[in-house]
Amino acid sequence: MKKNIGIIMGGYSSEYEISLKSGQVVYETLNPEKYNAYRLHIFKNKWVYVDANDQEHPIDKNDFTITIDHKKISFDCVFNAIHGSPGEDGYMQSYLELINIPHTSCGMYQAALTFNKRDCLSVLKPYGIKTAESYYLNFGDLIDESAIIKKVGLPCFVKANKAGSSFGITKVYKKEELKHAVEVAYKEDDEIIIESFLDGIEVSVGVITYKGETKVLPITEIVSDNDFFDYKAKYLGESQEITPARISETDADKVRRLAKQVYEILKMKGFSRSEYIFKNGEPHLLEVNTVPGLTKASILPQQAAAAGISLAQLFENAIDEALK
């Protein structure tokens, strides 16, 4: 019997276009002899199934089913390709878990925790995980530039706390630039994290559950053509992503062990991609992504390919793990 796989894509955040591309790649890659794949677009104003003719059919939110030609279709598994809210912050995980539908991403708590950068870093620090110095602001807080600079120094990064893909992020060089950077970040989120600049090699490490085991994928070195790894660098080709990374075996071993430790401390499952910068020879964690990009050009699929895992194998394994 072929499994019905609902591929959720889109979402409520600035990342919806990237998510639609990721979801389309999953849709085109899944073996039609094994799976009936359905493109499910999740937007604030509509949840719809988009058929092969691009016709839209509503999703019944009571049980996450669709009705085609008077026939009700339910899903054996949901493949999560939503970057940002509501696919990466725990909302879809909660909903699917409440109605008892298996899904390919991590659990609700893990998604909510990792999506909140400052909460995630706070949980990991007691385990000795090194991070940048940070300063937190909530919307409406007094912006004390002197206190911020005293804590994190210059240059520093002002980031939306709960947003992905480098939206709402500014590298600040001068005290006078701080207020504007904070305003930019508040357009994405009502919480802000301001971090010290770490000057060193940046790497991205994919960790997945593969055939029942925690598997660390080959490391990618990020070399941005811009001032930092911003949206254009990430998605518009303005960066080099070098896999395997040009780092010593000692450094590679350090960051592999650290990425695996982070995955296991957080009790993750499914895909993850964590970012690190080496400072004084030690990897410092920047963030953990739980629904990374899944296009052929995305980092995690590149890493899987370097490990000898094809896109089809990567996606099929995710479904197999979810259905266990």
Side-chain angles (χ1 to χ4, degrees):
M1 282 280 290
K2 286 205 275 188
K3 301 280 187 194
N4 289 341
I5 309 297
I7 306 162
I8 56 174
M9 59 187 92
Y12 303 167
S13 76
S14 308
E15 301 177 80
Y16 75 92
E17 290 179 346
I18 312 298
S19 171
L20 291 175
K21 287 179 182 173
S22 287
Q24 185 65 25
V25 169
V26 177
Y27 175 72
E28 290 168 1
T29 302
L30 288 181
N31 183 351
E33 291 181 10
K34 288 188 76 170
Y35 306 109
N36 299 312
Y38 297 84
R39 293 179 296 174
L40 307 178
H41 287 194
I42 307 295
F43 293 111
K44 272 185 177 167
N45 62 335
K46 62 181 179 183
W47 288 23
V48 292
Y49 157 58
V50 181
D51 67 21
N53 301 314
D54 289 333
Q55 296 295 307
E56 295 183 350
H57 309 264
I59 295 170
D60 185 340
K61 290 185 185 178
N62 291 301
D63 55 5
F64 207 67
T65 59
I66 54 176
T67 301
I68 309 295
D69 298 329
H70 308 293
K71 185 184 173 190
K72 189 171 180 172
I73 296 167
S74 58
F75 301 104
D76 297 297
C77 179
V78 167
F79 197 111
N80 184 5
I82 297 177
H83 314 311
S85 189
E88 201 164 5
D89 56 4
Y91 284 101
M92 288 304 295
Q93 288 87 346
S94 311
Y95 167 72
L96 293 168
E97 285 161 23
L98 282 170
I99 58 174
N100 207 27
I101 298 179
H103 59 84
T104 58
S105 47
C106 61
M108 172 273 293
Y109 173 71
Q110 285 75 13
L113 177 64
T114 51
F115 197 68
N116 187 312
K117 295 182 184 78
R118 60 201 209 187
D119 285 4
C120 184
L121 296 175
S122 298
V123 165
L124 291 169
K125 272 183 184 173
Y127 291 89
I129 311 291
K130 293 178 174 63
T131 64
E133 286 292 335
S134 54
Y135 188 102
Y136 305 149
L137 284 173
N138 293 326
F139 189 73
D141 285 355
L142 174 73
I143 302 166
D144 184 339
E145 291 107 320
S146 298
I148 293 168
I149 291 165
K150 186 178 178 186
K151 180 83 189 290
V152 303
L154 286 172
C156 64
F157 284 103
V158 179
K159 303 177 181 179
N161 185 43
K162 304 187 299 292
S165 292
S166 304
F167 287 108
I169 182 169
T170 308
K171 189 175 181 181
V172 172
Y173 288 89
K174 299 176 189 167
K175 184 177 180 178
E176 306 84 74
E177 298 169 351
L178 261 175
K179 272 204 169 124
H180 176 67
V182 167
E183 286 166 12
V184 169
Y186 276 142
K187 286 177 184 168
E188 292 290 332
D189 190 20
D190 61 358
E191 296 176 357
I192 287 176
I193 181 169
I194 304 173
E195 292 183 325
S196 60
F197 169 60
L198 298 174
D199 190 8
I201 295 171
E202 181 170 353
V203 296
S204 184
V205 189
V207 184
I208 61 175
T209 304
Y210 192 73
K211 298 183 177 176
E213 303 285 332
T214 301
K215 184 174 182 66
V216 183
L217 298 173
I219 302 159
T220 299
E221 180 183 347
I222 309 292
V223 184
S224 177
D225 299 343
N226 304 330
D227 199 15
F228 61 94
F229 194 47
D230 60 6
Y231 180 85
K232 289 180 179 177
K234 235 175 223 188
Y235 294 115
L236 303 181
E238 297 179 14
S239 69
Q240 295 175 63
E241 294 155 8
I242 301 159
T243 310
R246 300 167 301 179
I247 57 177
S248 69
E249 185 50 40
T250 302
D251 285 349
D253 188 53
K254 270 184 197 172
V255 80
R256 274 195 294 263
R257 282 189 286 112
L258 186 59
K260 186 171 190 271
Q261 184 188 7
V262 166
Y263 190 91
E264 291 178 342
I265 288 169
L266 297 176
K267 299 183 179 173
M268 294 285 298
K269 59 180 183 174
F271 301 133
S272 82
R273 204 190 69 232
S274 45
E275 321 295 333
Y276 302 85
I277 288 181
F278 279 90
K279 182 186 176 186
N280 301 327
E282 293 298 328
H284 287 57
L285 175 66
L286 298 179
E287 63 178 8
V288 179
N289 303 282
T290 60
V291 187
L294 297 172
T295 68
K296 291 179 181 72
S298 298
I299 294 172
L300 189 117
Q302 285 181 41
Q303 295 174 341
I309 301 168
S310 69
L311 273 182
Q313 289 170 320
L314 187 68
F315 299 158
E316 192 169 313
N317 175 78
I319 292 166
D320 290 345
E321 289 295 327
L323 290 172
K324 279 184 178 176

